[in-house]
Amino acid sequence: MPARWTHVVVKVADLERSIAFYRLFCGLDVVRDGRPGGHTVWLAPAARSDGPPEFVLVLYLTRVDFRLDHLGFQCDARAEVDRIAAEGARLGILAEPPFDGGGDIGYVTMVRDPDGHLVEFTFGQPIRGL
């Protein structure tokens, strides 16, 4: 069996602030909680009835000494991308207003999480069927 992609770890300065961001913008929930004695929290989409999540985002409480390029999330509608961009603008974290990049890019916007990591939201990016 080939290796399977299971998680991404993001360094964060404040777990509570980052959990709130990923809940609000990405709809992720805590699936493994290392607080208060630990330093990691695992987030995933709402619990599935047929087993554990296929992929998790791990928030690692430590000094943020570098950033990844971006995390990507797919939305079900163009209006959801617009809503996220509007909320990002309201909070002063909008990094890239919505635009239609066509082809493999789709309709996209980017916001910054509390530690400055870019988080992309797209509609129409052809991930399924690759």
Side-chain angles (χ1 to χ4, degrees):
M1 184 172 120
R4 193 170 45 91
W5 194 17
T6 60
H7 67 280
V8 167
V9 178
V10 176
K11 292 180 175 184
V12 302
D14 181 318
L15 283 172
E16 300 305 322
R17 186 177 67 176
S18 294
I19 291 167
F21 172 88
Y22 285 101
R23 277 186 171 147
L24 175 65
F25 283 96
C26 305
L28 301 181
D29 290 322
V30 174
V31 295
R32 180 172 289 163
D33 196 338
R35 297 169 294 173
H39 58 273
T40 63
V41 172
W42 295 17
L43 303 174
R48 296 169 23 153
S49 61
D50 62 340
E54 293 180 23
F55 189 85
V56 295
L57 174 63
V58 180
L59 303 179
Y60 173 43
L61 181 62
T62 190
R63 184 173 67 87
V64 180
D65 53 1
F66 63 88
R67 291 185 179 87
L68 50 89
D69 185 67
H70 70 273
L71 299 171
F73 290 82
Q74 180 82 333
C75 297
D76 290 331
R78 190 176 172 113
E80 181 65 7
V81 173
D82 290 333
R83 185 197 67 74
I84 289 168
E87 182 68 5
R90 185 184 75 75
L91 295 172
I93 61 171
L94 182 64
E96 182 80 41
F99 70 94
D100 194 335
D104 290 341
I105 296 172
Y107 189 63
V108 61
T109 193
M110 285 200 185
V111 298
R112 289 204 179 271
D113 81 357
D115 293 290
H117 302 290
L118 284 171
V119 183
E120 174 189 86
F121 297 90
T122 62
F123 171 72
Q125 205 171 67
I127 298 298
R128 286 199 170 99
L130 286 178

